[in-house]
Amino acid sequence: MTIYICGDSTAASYKPEQAPITGWGQALPQFLPDVRIENRAMAGRSSKSYLAEGRLQRIEGEIQPGDLLLIQFTHNDASDLVWRHTSPWISFYHTLEIYVDTAMLHQARAVLLTPICLRSWQNGELQGSHGEYPNVIRALAAQRNVPLIDLYEKSLQAVREAGEEGSRKLYMHLEKGAYPAYPNGSQDNAHTQRAGAEKYAGFVADGLKEYALV
């Protein structure tokens, strides 16, 4: 069995010289060492632009019966750029259906994932993010009887438990000069460093095991 991952920068794999940024898809193999994982997530892609670039079609040429297709988009679907933007209950919903249908056509299993949360604290309170997109993913999973891993809720809980200060270690909050790729440091609340990627990859692995998919 092979696990294929479709997604954006929050799931993507990065080169060593780009450290410490790490996507959860990059960390997933350490939790599922006996499973072949093809991480096809790419930074900057929405469900729409990923499809337009032919990336799902390339997976379609490889995927086999019994394989898994993990689908996680949102961050770039909310973009104002017309070539990336999707409307939550219209184009986003129907575009995700294409991913689900592709997996089913080839007798593979689709798995829908909500996005990881943004680390957004205001006045000591963790704020919600991503608007209606997580609800769309949940609705599609229920209506199509597709396994759902609710990373949005799980990541919110993890960030809340870590606290405003402690959760910096999960995301790309870096001191100046600590890493060659970030000489000026970083205050990035969307992308994870190794600790966050491992935390969220663990949630994905646990979800797949709960559904007896691995």
Side-chain angles (χ1 to χ4, degrees):
M1 181 186 72
T2 300
I3 296 176
Y4 291 89
I5 302 173
C6 298
D8 55 34
S9 57
T10 61
S13 296
Y14 296 88
K15 298 177 182 179
E17 57 267 28
Q18 295 173 287
I21 189 170
T22 311
W24 64 260
Q26 184 175 355
L28 188 59
Q30 70 189 72
F31 295 92
L32 301 172
D34 299 324
V35 181
R36 178 173 176 249
I37 297 173
E38 288 287 332
N39 188 8
R40 304 294 176 83
M42 289 294 294
R45 273 62 177 187
S46 67
S47 63
K48 178 181 178 180
S49 64
Y50 192 98
L51 194 63
E53 292 175 357
R55 296 182 182 278
L56 178 61
Q57 291 91 323
R58 287 195 283 277
I59 293 174
E60 187 176 12
E62 303 173 28
I63 200 165
Q64 299 294 316
D67 288 346
L68 301 181
L69 183 66
L70 274 55
I71 307 156
Q72 185 195 52
F73 293 97
T74 286
H75 286 265
N76 298 303
D77 284 83
S79 168
D80 290 333
L81 297 172
V82 68
W83 54 273
R84 292 201 300 193
H85 178 78
T86 59
S87 176
W89 290 102
I90 305 173
S91 51
F92 183 60
Y93 182 99
H94 293 303
T95 302
L96 289 184
E97 278 197 302
I98 295 173
Y99 291 81
V100 172
D101 289 341
T102 297
M104 292 181 173
L105 178 66
H106 295 279
Q107 299 174 38
R109 292 291 304 273
V111 181
L112 287 164
L113 296 88
T114 52
I116 65 172
C117 73
L118 299 179
R119 180 191 168 277
S120 178
W121 290 88
Q122 292 182 16
N123 300 319
E125 295 290 334
L126 181 62
Q127 306 300 302
S129 56
H130 304 310
E132 281 296 297
Y133 289 93
N135 287 331
V136 173
I137 298 166
R138 296 181 189 114
L140 177 59
Q143 290 165 12
R144 296 295 301 272
N145 194 28
V146 172
L148 171 73
I149 298 176
D150 200 339
L151 266 188
Y152 177 72
E153 285 298 328
K154 291 179 182 296
S155 60
L156 271 178
Q157 182 178 354
V159 172
R160 191 175 289 115
E161 288 177 354
E164 184 169 1
E165 190 62 33
S167 59
R168 293 176 185 271
K169 298 177 181 179
L170 300 177
Y171 288 77
M172 287 288 290
H173 278 252
L174 313 173
E175 297 294 334
K176 290 183 178 180
Y179 293 91
Y182 300 89
N184 296 319
S186 174
Q187 300 291 316
D188 182 347
N189 291 311
H191 300 93
T192 51
Q193 52 182 307
R194 173 60 65 172
E198 290 178 348
K199 173 74 73 174
Y200 299 154
F203 292 151
V204 174
D206 289 344
L208 294 175
K209 291 172 183 176
E210 289 172 8
Y211 282 109
L213 294 171
V214 294

